[in-house]
């Protein structure tokens, strides 16, 4: 059974996580098989050659390859070259990725998550894409910002679109507008009725369109946006858990707590504390 990694366990409060990962022939030097609960990641191979095992499939990798790893991908890496393989890993919360895709009207990102295997593209190992990964890695060692992440996305996404052909965004404008508007708190409180009113279509048409273009039901979409907003409020405010549940449209604190734990692996109070420790070091921490 592979490990399931959660964003809050290693990058709570950060816009992204970055690492330079060496993979050698030694088993102890390889990243263990794992999947992600709630984040995507980019892998950019900087040197050597190897494979990414996704389920039972091996994807050959070499310097210059860029891979978009989805949360559900059960994967691990191994080297196939004498010198091993080295890659830059940039991880980012799926909630940020989806919100960016919605706001930017990006084509194909939902379909990328539905593919059998992660999307792989080729870049010049010494070109602008490589430079952008190096810049994001360097920024992470200082004070990384959301703008650093957006800059990386805007550099890499056209490369991925080219690898996937030239996708056409088939999402209707009314659907995109309604889904983007559901990020606002006043709409989240009203929930599904508000989404339906903004879409101005029948409930059946909304459900079919959501399944086709977002891969979920309208109810699941609203619940996801509510939980994502709750996570934001937990990390940026000191309001009580019950008040946050109300602000996000949940009918009760216990129901909110159960759904939040299912998504993030922690109770809301524990999530807030984990984020606080990640951003504000404990005064008792002398290590």
């Amino acid at each position: 059974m592979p490990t399931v990694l959660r964003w809050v366990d290693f990058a709570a409060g950060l816009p992204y996580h970055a690492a330079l990962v060496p993979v050698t022939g030694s088993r102890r030097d390889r990243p263990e098989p794992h999947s992600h609960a709630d984040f995507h990641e980019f892998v950019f191979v900087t040197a050597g050659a190897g494979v990414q095992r996704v389920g039972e499939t091996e994807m050959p990798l070499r310097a210059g390859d860029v891979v978009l790893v989805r949360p559900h991908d059960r994967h691990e890496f191994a080297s196939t070259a004498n010198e091993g393989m080295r890659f830059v890993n940039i991880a980012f919360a799926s909630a940020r990725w989806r919100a960016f895709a919605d706001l930017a009207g990006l084509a194909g990102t939902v379909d990328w998550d539905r593919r059998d295997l992660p999307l792989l593209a080729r870049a010049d190992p010494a070109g602008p894409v490589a430079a952008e990964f190096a810049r994001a890695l360097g920024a992470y060692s200082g004070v990384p910002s959301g703008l650093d992440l957006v800059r990386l996305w805007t550099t890499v996404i056209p490369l991925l679109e080219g690898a996937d052909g030239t996708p056409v965004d088939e999402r209707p404008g009314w659907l995109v507008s309604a889904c983007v508007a559901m990020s606002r708190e006043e709409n989240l409180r009203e929930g599904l009725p508000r989404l339906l009113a903004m879409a101005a279509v029948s409930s059946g048409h909304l459900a079919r369109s959501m399944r086709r273009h977002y891969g979920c039901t309208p109810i699941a979409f609203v619940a996801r946006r509510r939980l994502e907003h709750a996570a934001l409020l937990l990390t940026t405010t000191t309001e009580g858990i019950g008040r946050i549940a109300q602000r996000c449209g949940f009918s009760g604190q216990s129901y909110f707590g159960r759904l939040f734990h299912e998504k993030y692996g922690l109770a809301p109070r524990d999530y807030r504390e984990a984020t606080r420790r990640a951003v504000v070091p404990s005064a008792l921490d002398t290590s």
Side-chain angles (χ1 to χ4, degrees):
M1 179 68 69
T3 300
V4 179
L5 304 181
R6 297 180 184 276
W7 185 254
V8 70
D9 293 333
F10 67 96
L14 295 173
Y16 66 94
H17 181 275
L20 182 62
V21 183
V23 182
T24 69
S26 172
R27 177 70 231 186
R28 68 180 182 178
D29 291 333
R30 302 180 193 171
E32 291 295 322
H34 65 276
S35 59
H36 313 151
D38 55 356
F39 64 92
H40 287 65
E41 62 188 12
F42 285 145
V43 169
F44 176 68
V45 182
T46 60
V51 296
Q52 178 184 217
R53 298 190 179 101
V54 183
E56 303 301 321
T57 302
E58 290 193 351
M59 299 177 63
L61 298 174
R62 56 193 172 100
D65 282 346
V66 180
V67 184
L68 172 64
V69 182
R70 296 79 54 89
H72 61 274
D73 290 321
R74 178 174 62 86
H75 69 140
E76 62 176 323
F77 297 91
S79 67
T80 56
N82 292 334
E83 71 271 24
M85 178 175 67
R86 188 169 64 247
F87 62 84
V88 175
N89 179 277
I90 306 289
F92 40 90
S94 298
R96 286 177 178 254
W97 171 248
R98 295 186 186 107
F100 178 77
D102 281 349
L103 289 171
L106 294 174
T109 54
V110 174
D111 289 334
W112 292 346
D113 279 358
R114 297 173 178 170
R115 294 168 61 100
D116 292 336
L117 292 173
L119 189 59
L120 183 149
R122 286 286 302 159
D124 182 348
V129 171
E132 192 57 35
F133 271 95
R135 191 201 60 77
L137 181 63
Y140 184 75
S141 65
V143 183
S145 72
L147 290 177
D148 294 317
L149 181 59
V150 170
R151 179 170 166 173
L152 179 69
W153 282 342
T154 56
T155 299
V156 177
I157 285 172
L159 185 73
L160 296 176
E161 288 183 325
D164 199 36
T166 306
V168 176
D169 192 349
E170 297 180 345
R171 296 178 301 176
W174 62 264
L175 180 61
V176 174
S177 296
C179 289
V180 169
M182 285 305 293
S183 297
R184 295 199 292 269
E185 192 173 294
E186 61 270 23
N187 294 329
L188 285 176
R189 281 196 294 271
E190 295 187 42
L192 182 59
R194 182 58 180 157
L195 175 61
L196 187 59
M198 291 188 297
V201 296
S202 69
S203 57
H205 187 46
L206 176 62
R208 290 189 296 271
S209 298
M210 288 291 299
R211 288 192 186 95
R212 177 183 177 187
H213 297 290
Y214 285 86
C216 64
T217 65
I219 292 176
F221 178 85
V222 171
R224 186 175 73 195
R225 284 292 165 92
R226 282 174 165 171
L227 289 169
E228 290 168 355
H229 188 60
L232 176 65
L233 294 177
L234 286 167
T235 60
T236 58
T237 76
T238 59
E239 289 199 64
I241 306 301
R243 173 57 181 158
I244 288 176
Q246 291 176 354
R247 286 181 60 176
C248 296
F250 290 99
S251 57
Q253 183 173 335
S254 60
Y255 176 64
F256 162 62
R258 178 170 62 81
L259 292 184
F260 193 92
H261 191 281
E262 288 176 359
K263 179 174 177 62
Y264 292 103
L266 291 172
R269 196 174 307 279
D270 294 336
Y271 182 93
R272 168 177 273 170
E273 179 62 22
T275 303
R276 188 194 67 80
R277 288 198 304 268
V279 178
V280 183
S282 172
L284 299 178
D285 184 3
T286 59
S287 59

